[in-house]
Amino acid sequence: MSEVVSYEVRGSIGLIQIKNPPVNALSVNKGVLQGLLDAIKSGDHDPQVNAFLLIGGGKNFSGGADISEFGKPKVPGMATLADLLAYMDTVTKPIVAALSGPTMGGGFELSLTCHYRLASQETIVALPEVKLGILPGAGGTQRLPRIIGAEKALELITSGAFIPAQDAKSLGIVDEVIDGNLLEDSIKWIKRALRCGLPVARVSERSVKTAIDAKDFITKATGVAEKKWRGYPAPLRIVECIDAAINKSFKEGIQIERKNIEELILTDESRSLRHLFFAERQANKVVGISKETPIAKIQTVSVIGAGTMGTGIAMNFLNVGIPVTIVDTNDEILQKGIDTINKNYLSTVAKGRLSAEDHDRRVGLLTGSTQLSAVSQSDLVVEAVFEEMAVKKMIFRELDSVAKPSAILATNTSTLDVNEIASVTRRPEQIIGLHFFSPANVMRLLEVVRAEKTSPEVVATSMSLAKKIKKIPVCVGVCDGFVGNRMIHTYLREAEYLIEEGALPEQVDHAIESFGFAMGPFRMCDLAGLDIGWAIRKRKKSEGLVIKRYVSIPDHLCERGWFGQKTGGGYYTYESGSRAPIVNPEVNAIVEAASEEKGITRRSIEAHEIVDRLMFALINEGANIIAEGVAQRASDIDVIYAAGYGFPRYRGGPMFYAQTVGLLHVVEGIERYSKQAYGDHWQVSPFLAQLVQKNQTFG
Ligand SMILES: NC(=O)c1ccc[n+]([C@@H]2O[C@H](COP(=O)([O-])OP(=O)(O)OC[C@H]3O[C@@H](n4cnc5c(N)ncnc54)[C@H](O)[C@@H]3O)[C@@H](O)[C@H]2O)c1
């Protein structure tokens, strides 16, 4: 038998074990599938064998397809998953799968082709293909509805949800959850079952049940897929496959599934989603960091500042059992911060997503102090005080003297120079930026800002800790706004130019939301608050900074006390307790007056120009950022934008999108817009121009 699959006959049971660590991926080229096929064929012809047990060696049954084989040629003569499953459907002896660990995609589909499924307590099953813009392509859309009914199958396949063993049992996916030794207890289960007569229960021979009339169900499901998954083509195709499972033969259903996956795989949406999947993995690779780079243990954390960010940051650590000391200037502010954390957890308890015990455990790990010296035993200190260099420097000087020598000192600054902050300490190699996004307990993006002297150990520890607290970390360099905010600045500036030239805020937002963003730029400004930007502009003005084309519209809003959602109005008005924007004619009048004041003749601006200009602004600045080495690679920028800025995942992030439409198209667009009246701020990024000249891409 092959090295990656073992086969032996134990009594009357053909025992097949997948042995392809670490996750028992169903590799074609390594011969896993061929090995399985050979084993089953051998047992099928062996009169001593009455049933099969298919189990994973190690912790997993199978994590699914081998992603390293994606897009690579297949070794000729090796069986594919389709070959294996087609044969399994003809076998005349019962096949029992014993599941363990994450059993995903093709691994799960393999088990669905077995006649019975047992599972260890730790098993999780899922068909997550939809997250890559495709659908389960090995019969999953045909077999799962035959096992659990059309409604549940549709829900699981369109969401890609992870189902723990007990839930899988309740749904009827799993016949029994095994507590003890999976291998031995599964053999006992089969022996017992054989004594009672264990029929060959082919899933493909069953029919699909629907709770409501099948036709109504499909109509409803189509409507939901169109509305809920706007922009994503896979869910609609999944509905089509489930329709086939209900109304056509198994064989026809498999053909329809195949046709749909082959078409989906070629779509820009699937390409984009697959790009992001690999980009997130790539982002973990940081120049100068290897597997050998030591990682420090972070067992206790302090957070300085119990405001908006500090409280959210603290929750990340409490959530994973790391004790946190939170520090603020006085008892009242401190208590308010602690109350905020408590309230946040209580609301999760009320929603049924957190148990009362977990609430108590998490809150029990939190202590507060008004003394900076309270951080003395912490392995990591995260500073989240006011965004003022003088305050940050004062804090870091003091932290340097009170924190233990091995402690990592991190700042959550969004704009300030981390090198300058590090320079006031005697341990610049221990200083790093950990740029969380608001709300910090919810947003998954974390920019890990590597300063000039930050040591590789501190970077590696931060990246590893970020994953522990379930963030998506991207390592970036120091510059004003780092990657995400520096780019968003050019995007917002372009949005302001657009309203000055003739668009209205709601038109800009509508165009960008139709493109797929979760929120247009002006709704985003209202959510973030307009007052911070106003204060920065006033400070810069007082420092004598002259901006060539200054848009005064947000200043006019702030002068009226309209700071956004928190004051009930900004670019839009908001009814108390609602986040739904209401167009305010007074704002539109302010916008129109601002154009008039500058002598700009307002013109009608089409949606495609709005989208082009905002996307090109992002792409152009992104190219500058790559050229400067602030981002390691274009795909890191895509991860940042998809995880932190609501960029539509099905467009793959701004840099991938640029390649979808063509870099030449972007450069020509920027040149065209720069020739328009008031368009003279555009300058093509030299790096972008160079790529176009050499007919290259971001890679
Ligand atoms: N709010 C955001 O969306 C956001 C996002 C990313 C990063 N940031 C950054 O996070 C930091 C904090 O922002 P925020 O929005 O939480 O501000 P905030 O005003 O809500 O909170 C700041 C807290 O720091 C406390 N503080 C001030 N001086 C202190 C000192 N000497 N010692 C201890 N505590 C002190 C204040 O009392 C206050 O509670 C800033 O650097 C900001 O740029 C903010």
Side-chain angles (χ1 to χ4, degrees):
M1 206 40 62
S2 76
E3 280 174 16
V4 285
V5 175
S6 74
Y7 177 63
E8 64 184 286
V9 180
R10 280 214 198 165
S12 63
I13 298 171
L15 171 63
I16 306 167
Q17 297 195 55
I18 311 172
K19 291 185 170 166
N20 184 24
V23 298
N24 288 333
L26 298 176
S27 161
V28 176
N29 292 349
K30 275 176 149 178
V32 175
L33 297 163
Q34 187 64 50
L36 288 170
L37 184 61
D38 292 344
I40 294 176
K41 275 187 179 168
S42 158
D44 205 19
H45 297 122
D46 183 349
Q48 200 190 322
V49 172
N50 290 334
F52 291 97
L53 173 62
L54 180 51
I55 190 167
K59 287 186 182 153
N60 275 58
F61 176 73
S62 168
D66 185 342
I67 57 171
S68 70
E69 288 180 353
F70 283 8
K72 292 209 183 118
K74 303 266 182 287
V75 173
M78 287 290 195
T80 63
L81 187 54
D83 298 333
L84 171 66
L85 301 190
Y87 183 79
M88 282 169 73
D89 243 353
T90 66
V91 171
T92 52
K93 299 170 183 177
I95 310 174
V96 181
L99 311 183
S100 55
T103 300
M104 305 281 149
F108 185 32
E109 289 177 290
L110 168 63
S111 80
L112 294 177
T113 315
C114 297
H115 307 128
Y116 302 94
R117 280 157 297 281
L118 311 175
S120 71
Q121 288 285 3
E122 298 73 38
T123 305
I124 295 171
V125 297
L127 292 173
E129 289 82 354
V130 71
K131 294 176 184 167
L132 301 181
I134 51 176
L135 46 78
T141 66
Q142 302 306 298
R143 288 193 178 91
L144 193 59
R146 285 177 161 81
I147 298 172
I148 62 171
E151 283 87 350
K152 276 286 163 203
L154 179 74
E155 191 186 316
L156 299 195
I157 302 173
T158 50
S159 66
F162 287 15
I163 315 296
Q166 287 297 351
D167 293 354
K169 166 92 171 43
S170 312
L171 283 166
I173 295 171
V174 159
D175 298 283
E176 195 161 319
V177 177
I178 301 232
D179 260 328
N181 180 304
L182 185 64
L183 174 60
E184 299 309 327
D185 288 357
S186 297
I187 288 178
K188 280 185 204 152
W189 188 93
I190 297 174
K191 280 186 182 161
R192 252 193 334 267
L194 279 172
R195 281 198 292 275
C196 309
L198 185 64
V200 171
R202 285 195 194 104
V203 174
S204 58
E205 289 170 359
R206 300 185 200 172
S207 60
V208 179
K209 292 192 179 65
T210 51
I212 59 170
D213 173 72
K215 216 169 155 199
D216 289 349
F217 163 66
I218 291 297
T219 311
K220 208 171 129 214
T222 306
V224 171
E226 278 168 349
K227 199 162 164 236
K228 187 170 169 194
W229 305 101
R230 189 169 60 97
Y232 293 85
L236 256 183
R237 303 298 192 102
I238 292 168
V239 174
E240 190 184 326
C241 292
I242 294 200
D243 188 3
I246 300 169
N247 293 309
K248 296 196 176 348
S249 70
F250 181 78
K251 200 170 154 208
E252 282 172 294
I254 289 286
Q255 281 162 358
I256 288 169
E257 181 186 91
R258 180 109 312 264
K259 169 186 93 69
N260 274 301
I261 194 169
E262 280 169 3
E263 286 171 9
L264 280 172
I265 212 144
L266 298 176
T267 59
D268 281 343
E269 291 81 3
S270 171
R271 280 202 187 98
S272 302
L273 290 164
R274 282 179 282 143
H275 162 73
L276 282 173
F277 176 81
F278 288 108
E280 277 178 23
R281 274 147 192 80
Q282 186 76 3
N284 292 326
K285 297 193 180 114
V286 179
V287 174
I289 310 291
S290 69
K291 280 197 181 114
E292 282 70 47
T293 310
I295 290 175
K297 270 206 176 121
I298 305 294
Q299 286 167 326
T300 53
V301 171
S302 284
V303 177
I304 317 298
T308 311
M309 294 306 287
T311 48
I313 292 169
M315 288 176 73
N316 287 293
F317 299 106
L318 299 173
N319 292 347
V320 296
I322 299 177
V324 175
T325 304
I326 191 158
V327 180
D328 211 303
T329 44
N330 66 51
D331 285 327
E332 199 184 323
I333 303 178
L334 184 64
Q335 194 52 49
K336 203 170 149 224
I338 292 173
D339 291 347
T340 302
I341 293 175
N342 198 19
K343 244 187 268 160
N344 269 338
Y345 280 135
L346 285 176
S347 97
T348 319
V349 172
K351 286 177 196 147
R353 297 209 307 258
L354 186 73
S355 69
E357 297 78 54
D358 277 342
H359 163 270
D360 295 348
R361 195 172 309 127
R362 291 177 196 195
V363 172
L365 290 169
L366 179 66
T367 46
S369 176
T370 54
Q371 303 300 318
L372 220 51
S373 55
V375 313
S376 65
Q377 292 313 308
S378 295
D379 300 313
L380 166 72
V381 182
V382 186
E383 166 278 314
V385 305
F386 302 137
E387 187 74 342
E388 280 175 36
M389 184 53 99
V391 182
K392 305 252 187 213
K393 279 186 172 172
M394 185 193 77
I395 301 257
F396 273 80
R397 255 189 225 108
E398 210 177 324
L399 283 179
D400 193 24
S401 60
V402 295
K404 61 184 179 185
S406 60
I408 296 174
L409 308 182
T411 173
N412 181 48
T413 180
S414 1
T415 51
L416 301 174
D417 184 345
V418 184
N419 292 320
E420 199 178 330
I421 294 173
S423 73
V424 302
T425 71
R426 289 158 297 173
R427 54 173 112 182
E429 69 289 348
Q430 299 281 103
I431 312 297
I432 195 159
L434 290 182
H435 186 212
F436 289 84
F437 288 74
S438 183
N441 53 319
V442 176
M443 295 294 290
R444 295 208 54 212
L445 177 63
L446 181 70
E447 283 183 329
V448 173
V449 187
R450 179 186 209 162
E452 268 165 23
K453 295 190 179 156
T454 312
S455 73
E457 289 81 349
V458 169
V459 175
T461 303
S462 302
M463 295 293 289
S464 149
L465 181 66
K467 273 176 258 153
K468 183 166 183 192
I469 61 173
K470 302 191 172 64
K471 296 288 174 198
I472 298 174
V474 182
C475 186
V476 301
V478 175
C479 69
D480 189 3
F482 313 122
V483 170
N485 283 349
R486 173 169 156 186
M487 285 169 64
I488 211 72
H489 185 71
T490 60
Y491 164 93
L492 292 176
R493 193 184 57 191
E494 204 56 36
E496 287 176 357
Y497 291 165
L498 282 162
I499 56 172
E500 204 178 51
E501 289 169 30
L504 290 170
E506 66 267 26
Q507 284 168 346
V508 175
D509 283 349
H510 184 257
I512 289 300
E513 285 160 20
S514 301
F515 177 78
F517 267 79
M519 206 180 276
F522 296 108
R523 279 180 64 199
M524 191 180 92
C525 287
D526 273 0
L527 180 66
L530 305 178
D531 46 333
I532 302 162
W534 192 35
I536 295 172
R537 287 194 298 279
K538 281 197 285 195
R539 196 185 67 217
K540 287 191 172 164
K541 241 192 221 170
S542 73
E543 288 166 359
L545 190 86
V546 180
I547 296 167
K548 201 170 155 198
R549 182 175 166 186
Y550 187 88
V551 180
S552 58
I553 297 163
D555 293 354
H556 293 315
L557 301 181
C558 288
E559 281 154 15
R560 285 163 174 77
W562 298 347
F563 295 160
Q565 277 190 24
K566 60 185 168 190
T567 57
Y571 282 100
Y572 300 93
T573 44
Y574 301 86
E575 279 168 3
S576 168
S578 162
R579 289 179 183 277
I582 301 167
V583 172
N584 180 356
E586 276 186 76
V587 172
N588 292 351
I590 291 170
V591 169
E592 282 158 7
S595 313
E596 202 182 326
E597 200 183 312
K598 274 201 186 161
I600 295 175
T601 310
R602 292 178 66 79
R603 65 185 171 91
S604 127
I605 300 180
E606 287 186 32
H608 76 84
E609 179 176 341
I610 295 172
V611 170
D612 270 3
R613 283 176 57 178
L614 295 193
M615 291 311 110
F616 295 172
L618 287 179
I619 296 161
N620 205 44
E621 197 60 16
N624 287 332
I625 283 172
I626 298 166
E628 288 169 28
V630 171
Q632 292 192 101
R633 47 184 91 84
S635 62
D636 282 3
I637 298 179
D638 291 331
V639 173
I640 289 174
Y641 263 75
Y645 292 85
F647 197 99
R649 290 185 68 83
Y650 62 83
R651 295 196 193 268
M655 311 318 277
F656 187 80
Y657 173 71
Q659 293 180 172
T660 312
V661 296
L663 299 190
L664 177 63
H665 172 77
V666 175
V667 168
E668 284 176 349
I670 295 175
E671 283 168 347
R672 191 172 62 251
Y673 291 124
S674 71
K675 290 195 187 89
Q676 275 179 197
Y678 318 109
D680 59 354
H681 60 283
W682 281 107
Q683 248 182 354
V684 176
S685 151
F687 176 57
L688 187 56
Q690 195 188 346
L691 287 179
V692 169
Q693 212 175 28
K694 293 185 179 163
N695 204 16
Q696 290 173 341
T697 63
F698 290 120

